[in-house]
Amino acid sequence: MVDESESRAVSSARTYEVRTYGCQMNVHDSERLSGLLEGAGYLRWDPEQADSADVVVFNTCAVRENADNKLYGNLGHLAPIKAGRPGMQIAVGGCLAQKDRDTITSKAPWVDVVFGTHNIGSLPVLLERARVAEEAQVEILESLEVFPSTLPTRRESPYAAWVSVSVGCNNTCTFCIVPSLRGKEKDRRPGEILAEIEALVAEGVSEITLLGQNVNAYGVEFGDRQAFSQLLRACGAIEGLERIRFTSPHPAEFTDDVIAAMAETPTVMPSLHMPLQSGSSAVLKAMRRSYRKQRFLDIIQKVKAAIPDAAITTDIIVGFPGETDADFEETLDVVRRSRFSGAFTFQYSKRPGTPAATMDDQVAPEVVAERYQRLVKLQNQISWEENQAQEGRTLDVMVAEGEGRRDASTGRLSGRAPDNRLVHFSVAGAEGIRPGDVATVTITRGAPHYLEADGAVLAVRRTRAGDAWERRQGAPQDARPVVGLGLPTVGVPAPLPAAPACG
């Protein structure tokens, strides 16, 4: 274990870049890695000032297909750059580092630091140790010693933030390697979570997303089965907090008290990500998902009855070992009946280290691909119809930064509706509006993956979050806030990557 008394001194001129792959947990961990590095004196790399950062950190994922090949390809690209740049360092962390600890430095000997999911706080010291010793430093802990939320955090923007309620997972899904890499579930105490949220709100944050590998299992460590619904209600009582979301829950532990808390707490948004994985009870059993088709459909029915405007998204794996044509038809049946607003869909592929990788009856790739195309076609049609049903509705849209790639060319702004649908809206009547502010618009068109509002903005509400965004723009990069001890100042989760948290 790194000795905390070791020197952390670095040149104030040294810069860093963090490259993130995978789920929301990794996105949030990267905020902490950035906070740690800035706390140690590094500056965020500006590509306009230099071709490469002095320190490049890869925060890796072991769930994505060919994750290792992509990592080594990126490392190979950096090798000649590092060779021509004395003092440059490369670090590899995250789930793939936890899994492949013994192979990274042998395959890529120019890597300086390898660290795991349980010791991200060691990164600055390991970098300094590698620099002084002039040899690679590898530190992988088998269990969490310090909850990550106690570490410094560099939040990316001021209007929304991730807040971890737990880390790790107690499930044993046969397709997933994450529990073995992030460990058993560890829960934060409610007071710590609420204190972090209150600190964020005090700095202008108006939306938080409660984050956990299996978020609605929160409380298992201290034996309170209704802890998550109680936490939602407590968050709803925080003055100034306008929007509460959470991800990702598990159907087996999604209880009626959580549905009631969602329906009865105005600031809990009408959006829900509920991973299905398969509509076949036989496949769910083989996946060790601990719920069955009818249980899942019952949850969807209860949520829609209690929250009629709820938008529900999901995850689906196609071609799990042993999946028959009849099993796949069961999945299509659940998709038709659930009317998901969107879905993350995946073709099953083997993940080394998972039980499913050695199962018999692996489905032929061409069969998986054909089923996948049928599923995507069906879900895209449903998503389009569900979005068309939004036409004519008047919605309050929280203006976002960076979510509308064509905003400049189309003369629009973009943001999120309460149900988390992406809305592109006209700038007419929105003069002076800022990210974090709220625009009231009428939806004129539902596209397959977003909504449009091409009429004039009906109203603009300037918010404390918008004020915080404006203050951030006036601050030099090295003066932007990094606060430790579980009390981060401001932040926003980046737009969700195209992979959900394990669920």
Side-chain angles (χ1 to χ4, degrees):
M1 180 62 186
V2 167
D3 181 355
E4 291 297 330
S5 66
E6 292 187 55
S7 170
R8 289 191 178 192
V10 296
S11 167
S12 60
R14 284 176 64 76
T15 59
Y16 77 92
E17 176 192 7
V18 179
R19 302 185 185 182
T20 309
Y21 304 90
C23 70
Q24 300 97 322
M25 301 295 290
N26 274 16
V27 174
H28 193 28
D29 281 349
S30 289
E31 290 186 326
R32 297 192 177 101
L33 292 170
S34 296
L36 284 160
L37 291 170
E38 293 192 13
Y42 293 85
L43 300 178
R44 175 167 289 200
W45 171 59
D46 182 350
E48 295 184 0
Q49 300 295 321
D51 292 337
S52 175
D54 297 303
V55 173
V56 179
V57 182
F58 291 88
N59 190 8
T60 64
C61 170
V63 174
R64 295 287 188 88
E65 186 175 5
N66 298 321
D68 52 349
N69 292 336
K70 293 175 183 177
L71 170 65
Y72 294 120
N74 286 321
L75 291 175
H77 175 73
L78 283 180
I81 298 174
K82 185 184 181 195
R85 188 183 178 103
M88 181 179 175
Q89 291 181 297
I90 300 171
V92 179
C95 289
L96 195 64
Q98 188 82 18
K99 181 172 79 75
D100 291 349
R101 65 193 75 180
D102 298 325
T103 60
I104 291 175
T105 53
S106 62
K107 287 188 175 182
W110 54 93
V111 168
D112 299 276
V113 170
V114 179
F115 62 102
T117 59
H118 299 306
N119 63 314
I120 62 176
S122 301
L123 176 59
V125 176
L126 291 171
L127 288 167
E128 180 67 4
R129 185 186 288 176
R131 185 188 67 80
V132 173
E134 296 185 343
E135 63 179 13
Q137 301 295 308
V138 179
E139 180 179 285
I140 306 290
L141 300 185
E142 296 302 327
S143 61
L144 192 70
E145 293 188 353
V146 177
F147 199 93
S149 288
T150 63
L151 300 173
T153 305
R154 189 207 190 278
R155 307 278 180 164
E156 293 302 322
S157 296
Y159 55 89
W162 304 115
V163 175
S164 289
V165 304
S166 63
V167 293
C169 180
N170 293 340
N171 292 317
T172 58
C173 301
T174 54
F175 57 82
C176 185
I177 198 171
V178 169
S180 66
L181 302 179
R182 289 196 175 263
K184 294 293 186 181
E185 180 174 329
K186 294 188 70 66
D187 296 329
R188 296 175 72 190
R189 289 289 170 178
E192 296 174 5
I193 297 168
L194 295 172
E196 180 176 356
I197 296 171
E198 288 169 351
L200 288 163
V201 172
E203 293 292 339
V205 167
S206 58
E207 176 178 317
I208 61 101
T209 300
L210 301 175
L211 188 62
Q213 215 78 52
N214 183 7
V215 69
N216 60 311
Y218 173 73
V220 65
E221 193 176 23
F222 44 85
D224 186 348
R225 293 181 61 84
Q226 295 193 339
F228 187 64
S229 62
Q230 293 166 2
L231 180 63
L232 287 177
R233 293 180 187 276
C235 290
I238 295 176
E239 186 175 355
L241 180 59
E242 297 188 13
R243 295 187 173 193
I244 302 164
R245 305 187 191 277
F246 59 89
T247 197
S248 285
H250 192 292
E253 294 167 297
F254 200 78
T255 49
D256 290 351
D257 60 297
V258 173
I259 298 174
M262 292 177 65
E264 296 166 9
T265 308
T267 50
V268 175
M269 293 294 97
S271 62
L272 177 66
H273 185 75
M274 180 61 66
L276 170 63
Q277 307 303 4
S278 174
S280 163
S281 292
V283 173
L284 289 170
K285 182 177 180 181
M287 289 177 168
R288 292 188 198 152
R289 288 295 286 173
S290 64
Y291 60 90
R292 300 296 177 258
K293 174 182 177 179
Q294 192 56 51
R295 161 70 173 155
F296 186 92
L297 289 170
D298 288 345
I299 292 172
I300 300 302
Q301 182 179 18
K302 288 179 180 179
V303 170
K304 290 188 173 184
I307 314 167
D309 294 333
I312 303 173
T313 57
T314 195
D315 307 330
I316 302 172
I317 297 172
V318 177
F320 187 81
E323 182 188 74
T324 65
D325 288 339
D327 291 325
F328 179 65
E329 289 298 332
E330 290 287 310
T331 296
L332 296 181
D333 179 59
V334 175
V335 170
R336 292 187 187 99
R337 294 167 67 179
S338 298
R339 305 287 300 178
F340 300 116
S341 62
F344 295 98
T345 53
F346 306 91
Q347 297 184 55
Y348 174 79
S349 60
K350 293 182 180 180
R351 295 295 186 268
T354 63
T358 59
M359 285 181 175
D360 296 330
D361 299 324
Q362 299 284 329
V363 182
E366 60 272 19
V367 175
V368 177
E370 187 275 334
R371 290 176 183 170
Y372 178 78
Q373 292 302 322
R374 289 170 58 196
L375 172 63
V376 170
K377 182 178 180 180
L378 173 62
Q379 180 56 55
N380 283 346
Q381 182 62 38
I382 292 172
S383 296
W384 194 356
E385 291 169 359
E386 290 296 299
N387 282 352
Q388 287 175 321
Q390 303 295 308
E391 293 173 4
R393 292 190 65 196
T394 297
L395 301 175
D396 288 336
V397 176
M398 181 179 289
V399 183
E401 185 175 29
E403 294 214 51
R405 295 184 180 90
R406 294 182 298 148
D407 281 354
S409 62
T410 59
R412 289 173 171 157
L413 294 173
S414 298
R416 294 282 170 175
D419 64 8
N420 211 34
R421 283 182 168 94
L422 180 62
V423 180
H424 302 300
F425 62 95
S426 168
V427 296
E431 292 76 10
I433 196 168
R434 308 156 301 177
D437 288 342
V438 176
T440 302
V441 301
T442 298
I443 302 304
T444 56
R445 175 175 174 261
H449 303 295
Y450 56 85
L451 306 177
E452 294 178 354
D454 283 332
V457 172
L458 302 179
V460 171
R461 179 165 61 85
R462 294 173 68 86
T463 65
R464 294 170 60 252
D467 294 343
W469 180 88
E470 197 164 30
R471 288 195 301 271
R472 176 75 68 91
Q473 304 318 296
Q477 182 191 37
D478 57 354
R480 294 182 184 180
V482 179
V483 178
L485 302 178
L487 298 174
T489 54
V490 293
V492 58
L496 293 185
C502 173

